[in-house]
Amino acid sequence: DEETQSLRIQILEAVQEKIDSRIDIHDFRIVPGRSHTNILFDAFVPFDLEKSEKELTEEIIKAVSGIDPEFHCILKIDRK
């Protein structure tokens, strides 16, 4: 839907701006709850980006939380 697509673009832009412009996200889903909203997606990350999966996950979670602290990010890193 339109809200999901809008949020996907907002999160993608935040991740690209804060981490690396070559990162892309796919399989994006939103699962609203009473206390928080789960944001689920896979992140395509270039092989030559010299950060560990743990570092990338932490940085992406921080970028998503910067949009809204109620967002809980659940993601998978895919190297491309």
Side-chain angles (χ1 to χ4, degrees), residues 4-41:
T4 301
Q5 186 60 18
S6 175
L7 184 56
R8 179 193 176 282
I9 291 168
Q10 188 178 4
I11 288 173
L12 178 60
E13 288 173 349
V15 167
Q16 288 177 337
E17 179 183 312
K18 292 178 179 15
I19 304 166
D20 191 290
S21 63
R22 300 172 295 165
I23 294 174
D24 194 13
I25 61 176
H26 62 101
D27 294 338
F28 186 84
R29 298 171 307 286
I30 301 171
V31 182
R34 283 191 281 187
S35 63
H36 64 276
T37 299
N38 286 327
I39 308 293
L40 302 92
F41 60 89

Side-chain angles (χ1 to χ4, degrees), residues 32-76:
R34 283 191 281 187
S35 63
H36 64 276
T37 299
N38 286 327
I39 308 293
L40 302 92
F41 60 89
D42 296 346
F44 276 142
V45 178
F47 279 115
D48 64 348
L49 186 60
E50 295 184 8
K51 294 186 181 198
S52 70
E53 191 169 315
K54 183 177 187 236
E55 287 176 300
L56 286 165
T57 300
E58 289 171 356
E59 290 181 25
I60 291 170
I61 289 170
K62 186 176 178 180
V64 172
S65 295
I67 294 169
D68 186 329
E70 302 277 319
F71 290 163
H72 289 210
C73 195
I74 301 167
L75 68 127
K76 178 183 170 201

